[in-house]
Amino acid sequence: MSAPLIRVIPNKKLFVSEPDPSWFGNGPNAKNDDTWTNENWLKSRFHFSFAEYNNNNNSDFGILRVMNDDLVQPHRGFGTHPHGNMEIMTYIVHGELTHQDSMGTKESLGRGSVQYMTAGTGVRHSEFNHGDKPLRFIQTWIKPTRGGLAPNYGSYCGDDGKDDRKNKLQHLMSNAAADPSCGDADVGPVQINQDVDGYASELDLDQQIVYELPADRQAYLLCIEGGIEVNGKALEKHDACEIIGSPSDATSVEVKAIATEETEGGPVAHFLMFTMKRDPDSGRRDL
């Protein structure tokens, strides 16, 4: 089996945003609070052009439109705001995220959990860290198969899948239109309106997983915690990589833990990966 093309996106190439707390309905930043790990209430790393970051050479990756790596300090959050015509998937790294929306949903979830929305014709929601510890989550916006869908909310509790992601590749998200009885890929607990699959894994040091990327597919992988090698290319915490498969043959993606860090899940290397239809024109053009 051949190897895919790997393009590393180093952390230094991500845009870092630290907005004024009043923009999202927060009070002034705390001073001399030992529970805070950052001076500003929010530190967000943008993987693609978003908000005040305008970069025509980095607008998306295939059907991925937004990926923001957000660190929210205790008792702060995003006040009620609107979304439309986007599939939104939020993966919680540590802390607890509380979501409330105009559909009547209110829910709090922790590490390894997923909150997802079909924004469709329009939804309003808020996201808060009501806890006493910092909250980190990865929020990804995915272009839907079509506009005008009915709004929807769903979730998956990470506590239910601890064993499924430890030294394994946990299948978290899949296409709502997939049908395993017709030979489609396995269906994940999160199903959205797009041909995309999402995976997460927590690896012990020197552990390795191998994923067979089907023909005519590509992937975007984020090293969340610790350090990994992807087909021999090193990624540190916050680094990402574009993985471009073959148009005609399956390719092998090999991920190995080369460094771990202490986490809520113990000392691990932790990564998140999305796979989708291959688009030879996608990817950063400013590396």
Side-chain angles (χ1 to χ4, degrees):
M1 188 180 297
S2 61
L5 172 67
I6 309 287
R7 292 195 292 244
V8 175
I9 313 295
N11 175 35
K12 65 183 180 181
K13 294 293 289 185
L14 305 180
F15 182 88
V16 177
S17 174
E18 299 197 44
D20 187 291
S22 66
W23 295 356
F24 292 91
N26 294 284
N29 289 324
K31 297 186 182 298
N32 302 317
D33 188 334
D34 292 340
T35 65
W36 282 43
T37 57
N38 191 60
E39 289 186 4
N40 196 51
W41 75 280
L42 172 67
K43 184 172 187 175
S44 186
R45 292 174 168 86
F46 297 165
H47 284 251
F48 311 115
S49 186
F50 182 76
E52 73 269 32
Y53 171 50
N54 295 297
N55 183 351
N56 291 331
N57 290 314
N58 184 31
S59 59
D60 54 26
F61 181 75
I63 47 80
L64 299 186
R65 176 59 192 89
V66 170
M67 180 182 282
N68 293 347
D69 187 341
D70 289 348
L71 180 66
V72 181
Q73 298 306 307
H75 307 289
R76 297 294 188 272
F78 300 86
T80 302
H81 56 280
H83 289 288
N85 288 323
M86 198 66 65
E87 303 289 295
I88 300 174
M89 182 261 208
T90 304
Y91 180 79
I92 300 154
V93 179
H94 60 69
E96 186 176 79
L97 173 64
T98 297
H99 162 103
Q100 187 169 0
D101 63 43
S102 55
M103 295 178 283
T105 308
K106 184 175 183 180
E107 186 174 36
S108 299
L109 290 169
R111 183 179 178 87
S113 299
V114 176
Q115 294 179 338
Y116 63 97
M117 287 195 310
T118 293
T121 55
V123 66
R124 296 176 62 82
H125 79 143
S126 63
E127 299 155 297
F128 273 92
N129 176 13
H130 293 305
D132 296 325
K133 298 179 181 179
L135 160 70
R136 183 181 171 204
F137 59 86
I138 315 300
Q139 185 164 101
T140 305
W141 296 11
I142 296 168
K143 304 168 192 176
T145 52
R146 60 183 177 85
L149 295 167
N152 183 42
Y153 172 85
S155 64
Y156 168 77
C157 180
D159 288 341
D160 296 337
K162 287 180 179 179
D163 294 338
D164 292 330
R165 65 178 180 268
K166 189 63 179 290
N167 297 317
K168 302 174 186 176
L169 193 61
Q170 183 184 19
H171 191 187
L172 285 173
M173 184 176 71
S174 62
N175 186 355
D179 184 353
S181 67
C182 296
D184 292 337
D186 291 339
V187 173
V190 174
Q191 298 175 40
I192 68 167
N193 296 288
Q194 185 52 267
D195 178 15
V196 61
D197 289 278
Y199 302 88
S201 182
E202 297 181 16
L203 299 175
D204 292 327
L205 187 64
D206 293 328
Q207 289 295 306
Q208 176 175 291
I209 63 97
V210 178
Y211 172 75
E212 182 177 315
L213 183 67
D216 205 30
R217 304 286 283 181
Q218 64 186 27
Y220 194 85
L221 185 150
L222 169 63
C223 180
I224 298 173
E225 295 168 318
I228 57 177
E229 281 184 348
V230 181
N231 289 38
K233 295 196 175 186
L235 274 67
E236 299 178 349
K237 181 178 181 178
H238 298 301
D239 291 347
C241 67
E242 300 172 353
I243 303 171
I244 311 299
S246 164
S248 56
D249 299 304
T251 52
S252 179
V253 179
E254 301 173 0
V255 184
K256 180 180 180 181
I258 57 173
T260 61
E261 68 174 277
E262 287 295 333
T263 74
E264 291 178 5
V268 296
H270 187 187
F271 70 91
L272 183 66
M273 180 174 71
F274 295 93
T275 69
M276 67 211 75
K277 183 173 175 57
R278 188 176 184 270
D279 178 359
D281 294 327
S282 69
R284 294 192 71 144
R285 298 186 294 274
D286 60 350
L287 295 176

